[in-house]
PDB file of all heavy atoms in Angstrom:
ATOM      1  N   SER A1111     -23.488   4.482   5.990  1.00 92.00           N
ATOM      2  CA  SER A1111     -24.197   4.565   7.266  1.00 92.00           C
ATOM      3  C   SER A1111     -24.473   3.192   7.856  1.00 92.00           C
ATOM      4  O   SER A1111     -24.943   3.076   8.988  1.00 92.00           O
ATOM      5  CB  SER A1111     -25.526   5.306   7.079  1.00 92.00           C
ATOM      6  OG  SER A1111     -26.358   4.618   6.145  1.00 92.00           O
ATOM      7  N   LYS A1112     -24.174   2.135   7.080  1.00 88.00           N
ATOM      8  CA  LYS A1112     -24.429   0.778   7.548  1.00 88.00           C
ATOM      9  C   LYS A1112     -23.611  -0.183   6.703  1.00 88.00           C
ATOM     10  O   LYS A1112     -22.941   0.207   5.747  1.00 88.00           O
ATOM     11  CB  LYS A1112     -25.924   0.435   7.411  1.00 88.00           C
ATOM     12  CG  LYS A1112     -26.409   0.463   5.963  1.00 88.00           C
ATOM     13  CD  LYS A1112     -27.836  -0.012   5.814  1.00 88.00           C
ATOM     14  CE  LYS A1112     -28.207  -0.122   4.331  1.00 88.00           C
ATOM     15  NZ  LYS A1112     -29.544  -0.700   4.133  1.00 88.00           N
ATOM     16  N   GLY A1113     -23.675  -1.461   7.066  1.00 87.00           N
ATOM     17  CA  GLY A1113     -23.083  -2.505   6.237  1.00 87.00           C
ATOM     18  C   GLY A1113     -21.600  -2.738   6.484  1.00 87.00           C
ATOM     19  O   GLY A1113     -20.972  -2.125   7.343  1.00 87.00           O
ATOM     20  N   ARG A1114     -21.050  -3.649   5.681  1.00 89.00           N
ATOM     21  CA  ARG A1114     -19.686  -4.129   5.896  1.00 89.00           C
ATOM     22  C   ARG A1114     -18.616  -3.088   5.587  1.00 89.00           C
ATOM     23  O   ARG A1114     -17.460  -3.247   5.987  1.00 89.00           O
ATOM     24  CB  ARG A1114     -19.449  -5.391   5.057  1.00 89.00           C
ATOM     25  CG  ARG A1114     -19.586  -5.203   3.569  1.00 89.00           C
ATOM     26  CD  ARG A1114     -19.698  -6.530   2.825  1.00 89.00           C
ATOM     27  NE  ARG A1114     -19.878  -6.330   1.396  1.00 89.00           N
ATOM     28  CZ  ARG A1114     -18.883  -6.344   0.523  1.00 89.00           C
ATOM     29  NH1 ARG A1114     -17.655  -6.564   0.945  1.00 89.00           N
ATOM     30  NH2 ARG A1114     -19.114  -6.150  -0.751  1.00 89.00           N
ATOM     31  N   LEU A1115     -18.982  -2.005   4.880  1.00 94.00           N
ATOM     32  CA  LEU A1115     -17.996  -0.974   4.561  1.00 94.00           C
ATOM     33  C   LEU A1115     -17.928   0.128   5.600  1.00 94.00           C
ATOM     34  O   LEU A1115     -16.991   0.934   5.596  1.00 94.00           O
ATOM     35  CB  LEU A1115     -18.315  -0.341   3.191  1.00 94.00           C
ATOM     36  CG  LEU A1115     -18.341  -1.268   1.980  1.00 94.00           C
ATOM     37  CD1 LEU A1115     -18.605  -0.465   0.719  1.00 94.00           C
ATOM     38  CD2 LEU A1115     -17.044  -2.056   1.855  1.00 94.00           C
ATOM     39  N   GLN A1116     -18.904   0.175   6.502  1.00 94.00           N
ATOM     40  CA  GLN A1116     -18.986   1.303   7.428  1.00 94.00           C
ATOM     41  C   GLN A1116     -17.775   1.399   8.353  1.00 94.00           C
ATOM     42  O   GLN A1116     -17.080   2.425   8.397  1.00 94.00           O
ATOM     43  CB  GLN A1116     -20.263   1.204   8.270  1.00 94.00           C
ATOM     44  CG  GLN A1116     -20.425   2.366   9.247  1.00 94.00           C
ATOM     45  CD  GLN A1116     -21.607   2.175  10.185  1.00 94.00           C
ATOM     46  OE1 GLN A1116     -21.859   1.066  10.652  1.00 94.00           O
ATOM     47  NE2 GLN A1116     -22.330   3.242  10.439  1.00 94.00           N
ATOM     48  N   GLU A1117     -17.505   0.332   9.112  1.00 95.00           N
ATOM     49  CA  GLU A1117     -16.434   0.388  10.109  1.00 95.00           C
ATOM     50  C   GLU A1117     -15.052   0.590   9.490  1.00 95.00           C
ATOM     51  O   GLU A1117     -14.300   1.457   9.932  1.00 95.00           O
ATOM     52  CB  GLU A1117     -16.455  -0.868  10.982  1.00 95.00           C
ATOM     53  CG  GLU A1117     -15.430  -0.831  12.104  1.00 95.00           C
ATOM     54  CD  GLU A1117     -15.508  -2.045  13.008  1.00 95.00           C
ATOM     55  OE1 GLU A1117     -16.455  -2.843  12.860  1.00 95.00           O
ATOM     56  OE2 GLU A1117     -14.626  -2.200  13.866  1.00 95.00           O
ATOM     57  N   PRO A1118     -14.676  -0.180   8.442  1.00 96.00           N
ATOM     58  CA  PRO A1118     -13.347   0.051   7.863  1.00 96.00           C
ATOM     59  C   PRO A1118     -13.200   1.433   7.235  1.00 96.00           C
ATOM     60  O   PRO A1118     -12.101   1.992   7.214  1.00 96.00           O
ATOM     61  CB  PRO A1118     -13.198  -1.064   6.822  1.00 96.00           C
ATOM     62  CG  PRO A1118     -14.547  -1.627   6.625  1.00 96.00           C
ATOM     63  CD  PRO A1118     -15.322  -1.391   7.871  1.00 96.00           C
ATOM     64  N   THR A1119     -14.297   1.999   6.721  1.00 96.00           N
ATOM     65  CA  THR A1119     -14.219   3.354   6.161  1.00 96.00           C
ATOM     66  C   THR A1119     -13.885   4.366   7.243  1.00 96.00           C
ATOM     67  O   THR A1119     -12.996   5.213   7.082  1.00 96.00           O
ATOM     68  CB  THR A1119     -15.547   3.740   5.496  1.00 96.00           C
ATOM     69  OG1 THR A1119     -15.791   2.885   4.372  1.00 96.00           O
ATOM     70  CG2 THR A1119     -15.516   5.186   5.007  1.00 96.00           C
ATOM     71  N   LEU A1120     -14.580   4.287   8.377  1.00 94.00           N
ATOM     72  CA  LEU A1120     -14.332   5.224   9.470  1.00 94.00           C
ATOM     73  C   LEU A1120     -12.928   5.047  10.047  1.00 94.00           C
ATOM     74  O   LEU A1120     -12.257   6.024  10.407  1.00 94.00           O
ATOM     75  CB  LEU A1120     -15.390   5.053  10.558  1.00 94.00           C
ATOM     76  CG  LEU A1120     -16.827   5.402  10.130  1.00 94.00           C
ATOM     77  CD1 LEU A1120     -17.805   5.129  11.255  1.00 94.00           C
ATOM     78  CD2 LEU A1120     -16.926   6.858   9.677  1.00 94.00           C
ATOM     79  N   LYS A1121     -12.461   3.799  10.114  1.00 95.00           N
ATOM     80  CA  LYS A1121     -11.101   3.545  10.610  1.00 95.00           C
ATOM     81  C   LYS A1121     -10.057   4.130   9.664  1.00 95.00           C
ATOM     82  O   LYS A1121      -9.048   4.688  10.105  1.00 95.00           O
ATOM     83  CB  LYS A1121     -10.877   2.045  10.785  1.00 95.00           C
ATOM     84  CG  LYS A1121     -11.566   1.454  12.003  1.00 95.00           C
ATOM     85  CD  LYS A1121     -11.219  -0.018  12.168  1.00 95.00           C
ATOM     86  CE  LYS A1121     -11.833  -0.592  13.444  1.00 95.00           C
ATOM     87  NZ  LYS A1121     -11.505  -2.036  13.605  1.00 95.00           N
ATOM     88  N   LEU A1122     -10.287   4.009   8.356  1.00 96.00           N
ATOM     89  CA  LEU A1122      -9.357   4.565   7.382  1.00 96.00           C
ATOM     90  C   LEU A1122      -9.302   6.087   7.493  1.00 96.00           C
ATOM     91  O   LEU A1122      -8.218   6.685   7.505  1.00 96.00           O
ATOM     92  CB  LEU A1122      -9.768   4.156   5.963  1.00 96.00           C
ATOM     93  CG  LEU A1122      -8.967   4.806   4.832  1.00 96.00           C
ATOM     94  CD1 LEU A1122      -7.498   4.399   4.903  1.00 96.00           C
ATOM     95  CD2 LEU A1122      -9.561   4.444   3.474  1.00 96.00           C
ATOM     96  N   LEU A1123     -10.466   6.723   7.582  1.00 96.00           N
ATOM     97  CA  LEU A1123     -10.493   8.180   7.693  1.00 96.00           C
ATOM     98  C   LEU A1123      -9.805   8.639   8.976  1.00 96.00           C
ATOM     99  O   LEU A1123      -9.082   9.640   8.980  1.00 96.00           O
ATOM    100  CB  LEU A1123     -11.935   8.684   7.645  1.00 96.00           C
ATOM    101  CG  LEU A1123     -12.667   8.459   6.312  1.00 96.00           C
ATOM    102  CD1 LEU A1123     -14.080   9.001   6.389  1.00 96.00           C
ATOM    103  CD2 LEU A1123     -11.910   9.111   5.151  1.00 96.00           C
ATOM    104  N   GLU A1124     -10.019   7.905  10.056  1.00 94.00           N
ATOM    105  CA  GLU A1124      -9.343   8.220  11.320  1.00 94.00           C
ATOM    106  C   GLU A1124      -7.831   8.118  11.140  1.00 94.00           C
ATOM    107  O   GLU A1124      -7.068   8.955  11.640  1.00 94.00           O
ATOM    108  CB  GLU A1124      -9.808   7.247  12.403  1.00 94.00           C
ATOM    109  CG  GLU A1124      -9.122   7.413  13.735  1.00 94.00           C
ATOM    110  CD  GLU A1124      -9.828   8.394  14.655  1.00 94.00           C
ATOM    111  OE1 GLU A1124     -10.992   8.723  14.397  1.00 94.00           O
ATOM    112  OE2 GLU A1124      -9.182   8.821  15.630  1.00 94.00           O
ATOM    113  N   ALA A1125      -7.377   7.101  10.409  1.00 94.00           N
ATOM    114  CA  ALA A1125      -5.939   6.890  10.216  1.00 94.00           C
ATOM    115  C   ALA A1125      -5.300   8.011   9.401  1.00 94.00           C
ATOM    116  O   ALA A1125      -4.123   8.333   9.608  1.00 94.00           O
ATOM    117  CB  ALA A1125      -5.698   5.545   9.526  1.00 94.00           C
ATOM    118  N   VAL A1126      -6.053   8.605   8.478  1.00 93.00           N
ATOM    119  CA  VAL A1126      -5.484   9.688   7.670  1.00 93.00           C
ATOM    120  C   VAL A1126      -5.720  11.046   8.314  1.00 93.00           C
ATOM    121  O   VAL A1126      -5.307  12.068   7.766  1.00 93.00           O
ATOM    122  CB  VAL A1126      -6.027   9.673   6.226  1.00 93.00           C
ATOM    123  CG1 VAL A1126      -5.719   8.358   5.547  1.00 93.00           C
ATOM    124  CG2 VAL A1126      -7.510   9.984   6.174  1.00 93.00           C
ATOM    125  N   GLY A1127      -6.397  11.074   9.476  1.00 93.00           N
ATOM    126  CA  GLY A1127      -6.553  12.320  10.208  1.00 93.00           C
ATOM    127  C   GLY A1127      -7.907  12.976  10.118  1.00 93.00           C
ATOM    128  O   GLY A1127      -8.095  14.089  10.626  1.00 93.00           O
ATOM    129  N   ILE A1128      -8.875  12.306   9.484  1.00 95.00           N
ATOM    130  CA  ILE A1128     -10.221  12.869   9.394  1.00 95.00           C
ATOM    131  C   ILE A1128     -11.060  12.258  10.509  1.00 95.00           C
ATOM    132  O   ILE A1128     -11.566  11.146  10.397  1.00 95.00           O
ATOM    133  CB  ILE A1128     -10.858  12.586   8.013  1.00 95.00           C
ATOM    134  CG1 ILE A1128      -9.980  13.166   6.909  1.00 95.00           C
ATOM    135  CG2 ILE A1128     -12.266  13.168   7.936  1.00 95.00           C
ATOM    136  CD1 ILE A1128     -10.502  12.908   5.502  1.00 95.00           C
ATOM    137  N   ARG A1129     -11.192  13.000  11.597  1.00 92.00           N
ATOM    138  CA  ARG A1129     -11.904  12.509  12.776  1.00 92.00           C
ATOM    139  C   ARG A1129     -13.217  13.257  12.950  1.00 92.00           C
ATOM    140  O   ARG A1129     -13.239  14.497  12.915  1.00 92.00           O
ATOM    141  CB  ARG A1129     -11.042  12.685  14.032  1.00 92.00           C
ATOM    142  CG  ARG A1129      -9.787  11.830  14.031  1.00 92.00           C
ATOM    143  CD  ARG A1129      -8.960  12.057  15.284  1.00 92.00           C
ATOM    144  NE  ARG A1129      -8.418  13.421  15.321  1.00 92.00           N
ATOM    145  CZ  ARG A1129      -7.310  13.797  14.698  1.00 92.00           C
ATOM    146  NH1 ARG A1129      -6.635  12.920  13.967  1.00 92.00           N
ATOM    147  NH2 ARG A1129      -6.897  15.037  14.785  1.00 92.00           N
ATOM    148  N   PRO A1130     -14.325  12.534  13.145  1.00 90.00           N
ATOM    149  CA  PRO A1130     -15.608  13.206  13.406  1.00 90.00           C
ATOM    150  C   PRO A1130     -15.532  14.026  14.686  1.00 90.00           C
ATOM    151  O   PRO A1130     -14.945  13.589  15.679  1.00 90.00           O
ATOM    152  CB  PRO A1130     -16.594  12.037  13.544  1.00 90.00           C
ATOM    153  CG  PRO A1130     -15.919  10.867  12.923  1.00 90.00           C
ATOM    154  CD  PRO A1130     -14.452  11.071  13.128  1.00 90.00           C
ATOM    155  N   LEU A1131     -16.126  15.216  14.661  1.00 88.00           N
ATOM    156  CA  LEU A1131     -16.118  16.078  15.830  1.00 88.00           C
ATOM    157  C   LEU A1131     -17.446  16.046  16.564  1.00 88.00           C
ATOM    158  O   LEU A1131     -17.694  16.870  17.447  1.00 88.00           O
ATOM    159  CB  LEU A1131     -15.773  17.519  15.422  1.00 88.00           C
ATOM    160  CG  LEU A1131     -14.391  17.709  14.787  1.00 88.00           C
ATOM    161  CD1 LEU A1131     -14.155  19.168  14.450  1.00 88.00           C
ATOM    162  CD2 LEU A1131     -13.290  17.176  15.707  1.00 88.00           C
ATOM    163  N   ALA A1132     -18.297  15.105  16.212  1.00 78.00           N
ATOM    164  CA  ALA A1132     -19.569  14.900  16.914  1.00 78.00           C
ATOM    165  C   ALA A1132     -19.826  13.417  16.968  1.00 78.00           C
ATOM    166  O   ALA A1132     -19.499  12.677  16.029  1.00 78.00           O
ATOM    167  CB  ALA A1132     -20.710  15.627  16.212  1.00 78.00           C
ATOM    168  N   SER A1133     -20.413  12.949  18.063  1.00 73.00           N
ATOM    169  CA  SER A1133     -20.617  11.514  18.247  1.00 73.00           C
ATOM    170  C   SER A1133     -22.081  11.094  18.182  1.00 73.00           C
ATOM    171  O   SER A1133     -22.389   9.922  18.396  1.00 73.00           O
ATOM    172  CB  SER A1133     -20.027  11.070  19.596  1.00 73.00           C
ATOM    173  OG  SER A1133     -20.619  11.806  20.655  1.00 73.00           O
ATOM    174  N   ASP A1134     -22.977  12.019  17.904  1.00 71.00           N
ATOM    175  CA  ASP A1134     -24.400  11.713  17.849  1.00 71.00           C
ATOM    176  C   ASP A1134     -24.694  10.854  16.621  1.00 71.00           C
ATOM    177  O   ASP A1134     -24.541  11.302  15.483  1.00 71.00           O
ATOM    178  CB  ASP A1134     -25.211  13.005  17.795  1.00 71.00           C
ATOM    179  CG  ASP A1134     -26.712  12.754  17.975  1.00 71.00           C
ATOM    180  OD1 ASP A1134     -27.141  11.586  17.839  1.00 71.00           O
ATOM    181  OD2 ASP A1134     -27.444  13.719  18.251  1.00 71.00           O
ATOM    182  N   GLU A1135     -25.083   9.600  16.848  1.00 72.00           N
ATOM    183  CA  GLU A1135     -25.347   8.675  15.751  1.00 72.00           C
ATOM    184  C   GLU A1135     -26.514   9.125  14.885  1.00 72.00           C
ATOM    185  O   GLU A1135     -26.666   8.690  13.748  1.00 72.00           O
ATOM    186  CB  GLU A1135     -25.636   7.277  16.310  1.00 72.00           C
ATOM    187  CG  GLU A1135     -24.431   6.592  16.942  1.00 72.00           C
ATOM    188  CD  GLU A1135     -23.353   6.275  15.920  1.00 72.00           C
ATOM    189  OE1 GLU A1135     -23.697   6.003  14.759  1.00 72.00           O
ATOM    190  OE2 GLU A1135     -22.161   6.320  16.289  1.00 72.00           O
ATOM    191  N   ARG A1136     -27.364  10.010  15.432  1.00 71.00           N
ATOM    192  CA  ARG A1136     -28.533  10.469  14.672  1.00 71.00           C
ATOM    193  C   ARG A1136     -28.180  11.578  13.696  1.00 71.00           C
ATOM    194  O   ARG A1136     -28.953  11.860  12.774  1.00 71.00           O
ATOM    195  CB  ARG A1136     -29.615  10.959  15.629  1.00 71.00           C
ATOM    196  CG  ARG A1136     -30.167   9.889  16.559  1.00 71.00           C
ATOM    197  CD  ARG A1136     -31.012  10.495  17.647  1.00 71.00           C
ATOM    198  NE  ARG A1136     -30.212  11.369  18.505  1.00 71.00           N
ATOM    199  CZ  ARG A1136     -30.695  12.060  19.532  1.00 71.00           C
ATOM    200  NH1 ARG A1136     -31.981  11.979  19.818  1.00 71.00           N
ATOM    201  NH2 ARG A1136     -29.900  12.829  20.259  1.00 71.00           N
ATOM    202  N   ALA A1137     -27.020  12.195  13.875  1.00 72.00           N
ATOM    203  CA  ALA A1137     -26.621  13.298  13.000  1.00 72.00           C
ATOM    204  C   ALA A1137     -26.228  12.759  11.628  1.00 72.00           C
ATOM    205  O   ALA A1137     -25.395  11.861  11.522  1.00 72.00           O
ATOM    206  CB  ALA A1137     -25.462  14.065  13.622  1.00 72.00           C
ATOM    207  N   LEU A1138     -26.813  13.306  10.589  1.00 81.00           N
ATOM    208  CA  LEU A1138     -26.495  12.864   9.231  1.00 81.00           C
ATOM    209  C   LEU A1138     -25.299  13.600   8.658  1.00 81.00           C
ATOM    210  O   LEU A1138     -24.597  13.083   7.795  1.00 81.00           O
ATOM    211  CB  LEU A1138     -27.714  13.046   8.326  1.00 81.00           C
ATOM    212  CG  LEU A1138     -28.950  12.204   8.683  1.00 81.00           C
ATOM    213  CD1 LEU A1138     -30.089  12.476   7.711  1.00 81.00           C
ATOM    214  CD2 LEU A1138     -28.605  10.722   8.691  1.00 81.00           C
ATOM    215  N   VAL A1139     -25.073  14.830   9.101  1.00 89.00           N
ATOM    216  CA  VAL A1139     -23.917  15.610   8.661  1.00 89.00           C
ATOM    217  C   VAL A1139     -23.061  15.919   9.883  1.00 89.00           C
ATOM    218  O   VAL A1139     -23.556  16.460  10.876  1.00 89.00           O
ATOM    219  CB  VAL A1139     -24.347  16.907   7.958  1.00 89.00           C
ATOM    220  CG1 VAL A1139     -23.119  17.721   7.555  1.00 89.00           C
ATOM    221  CG2 VAL A1139     -25.201  16.597   6.728  1.00 89.00           C
ATOM    222  N   VAL A1140     -21.783  15.556   9.816  1.00 90.00           N
ATOM    223  CA  VAL A1140     -20.904  15.657  10.981  1.00 90.00           C
ATOM    224  C   VAL A1140     -19.633  16.424  10.596  1.00 90.00           C
ATOM    225  O   VAL A1140     -18.963  16.063   9.623  1.00 90.00           O
ATOM    226  CB  VAL A1140     -20.514  14.255  11.491  1.00 90.00           C
ATOM    227  CG1 VAL A1140     -19.601  14.352  12.702  1.00 90.00           C
ATOM    228  CG2 VAL A1140     -21.757  13.439  11.809  1.00 90.00           C
ATOM    229  N   PRO A1141     -19.281  17.472  11.343  1.00 92.00           N
ATOM    230  CA  PRO A1141     -18.019  18.173  11.078  1.00 92.00           C
ATOM    231  C   PRO A1141     -16.830  17.286  11.432  1.00 92.00           C
ATOM    232  O   PRO A1141     -16.949  16.356  12.228  1.00 92.00           O
ATOM    233  CB  PRO A1141     -18.092  19.399  11.995  1.00 92.00           C
ATOM    234  CG  PRO A1141     -19.010  18.989  13.094  1.00 92.00           C
ATOM    235  CD  PRO A1141     -20.016  18.055  12.484  1.00 92.00           C
ATOM    236  N   THR A1142     -15.678  17.563  10.834  1.00 93.00           N
ATOM    237  CA  THR A1142     -14.487  16.748  11.064  1.00 93.00           C
ATOM    238  C   THR A1142     -13.291  17.617  11.409  1.00 93.00           C
ATOM    239  O   THR A1142     -13.341  18.849  11.340  1.00 93.00           O
ATOM    240  CB  THR A1142     -14.130  15.901   9.821  1.00 93.00           C
ATOM    241  OG1 THR A1142     -13.532  16.758   8.826  1.00 93.00           O
ATOM    242  CG2 THR A1142     -15.335  15.205   9.252  1.00 93.00           C
ATOM    243  N   SER A1143     -12.196  16.955  11.736  1.00 94.00           N
ATOM    244  CA  SER A1143     -10.952  17.635  12.084  1.00 94.00           C
ATOM    245  C   SER A1143     -10.266  18.262  10.875  1.00 94.00           C
ATOM    246  O   SER A1143      -9.338  19.054  11.031  1.00 94.00           O
ATOM    247  CB  SER A1143      -9.995  16.649  12.763  1.00 94.00           C
ATOM    248  OG  SER A1143      -9.815  15.503  11.946  1.00 94.00           O
ATOM    249  N   TRP A1144     -10.691  17.907   9.664  1.00 93.00           N
ATOM    250  CA  TRP A1144     -10.170  18.566   8.465  1.00 93.00           C
ATOM    251  C   TRP A1144     -11.021  19.797   8.195  1.00 93.00           C
ATOM    252  O   TRP A1144     -12.241  19.691   8.019  1.00 93.00           O
ATOM    253  CB  TRP A1144     -10.212  17.622   7.266  1.00 93.00           C
ATOM    254  CG  TRP A1144      -8.985  16.765   7.136  1.00 93.00           C
ATOM    255  CD1 TRP A1144      -8.174  16.345   8.150  1.00 93.00           C
ATOM    256  CD2 TRP A1144      -8.444  16.217   5.940  1.00 93.00           C
ATOM    257  NE1 TRP A1144      -7.165  15.563   7.655  1.00 93.00           N
ATOM    258  CE2 TRP A1144      -7.295  15.466   6.302  1.00 93.00           C
ATOM    259  CE3 TRP A1144      -8.814  16.265   4.604  1.00 93.00           C
ATOM    260  CZ2 TRP A1144      -6.521  14.793   5.370  1.00 93.00           C
ATOM    261  CZ3 TRP A1144      -8.051  15.591   3.669  1.00 93.00           C
ATOM    262  CH2 TRP A1144      -6.905  14.864   4.045  1.00 93.00           C
ATOM    263  N   SER A1145     -10.395  20.938   8.145  1.00 89.00           N
ATOM    264  CA  SER A1145     -11.115  22.193   7.946  1.00 89.00           C
ATOM    265  C   SER A1145     -11.928  22.163   6.651  1.00 89.00           C
ATOM    266  O   SER A1145     -11.407  21.829   5.577  1.00 89.00           O
ATOM    267  CB  SER A1145     -10.117  23.350   7.887  1.00 89.00           C
ATOM    268  OG  SER A1145     -10.776  24.561   7.621  1.00 89.00           O
ATOM    269  N   GLY A1146     -13.203  22.480   6.765  1.00 88.00           N
ATOM    270  CA  GLY A1146     -14.059  22.576   5.587  1.00 88.00           C
ATOM    271  C   GLY A1146     -14.617  21.251   5.114  1.00 88.00           C
ATOM    272  O   GLY A1146     -15.343  21.219   4.119  1.00 88.00           O
ATOM    273  N   VAL A1147     -14.297  20.146   5.796  1.00 93.00           N
ATOM    274  CA  VAL A1147     -14.792  18.824   5.382  1.00 93.00           C
ATOM    275  C   VAL A1147     -15.802  18.300   6.403  1.00 93.00           C
ATOM    276  O   VAL A1147     -15.478  18.174   7.585  1.00 93.00           O
ATOM    277  CB  VAL A1147     -13.639  17.809   5.220  1.00 93.00           C
ATOM    278  CG1 VAL A1147     -14.187  16.419   4.906  1.00 93.00           C
ATOM    279  CG2 VAL A1147     -12.683  18.255   4.128  1.00 93.00           C
TER     280      VAL A1147
END
Side-chain angles (χ1 to χ4, degrees):
S1111 60
K1112 62 174 187 175
R1114 61 195 178 95
L1115 301 183
Q1116 181 187 39
E1117 184 177 352
T1119 295
L1120 296 177
K1121 285 184 176 180
L1122 173 63
L1123 294 180
E1124 176 90 16
V1126 301
I1128 302 178
R1129 294 179 294 277
L1131 298 181
S1133 57
D1134 190 344
E1135 291 294 328
R1136 297 168 297 179
L1138 296 180
V1139 178
V1140 180
T1142 75
S1143 54
W1144 272 29
S1145 177
V1147 175

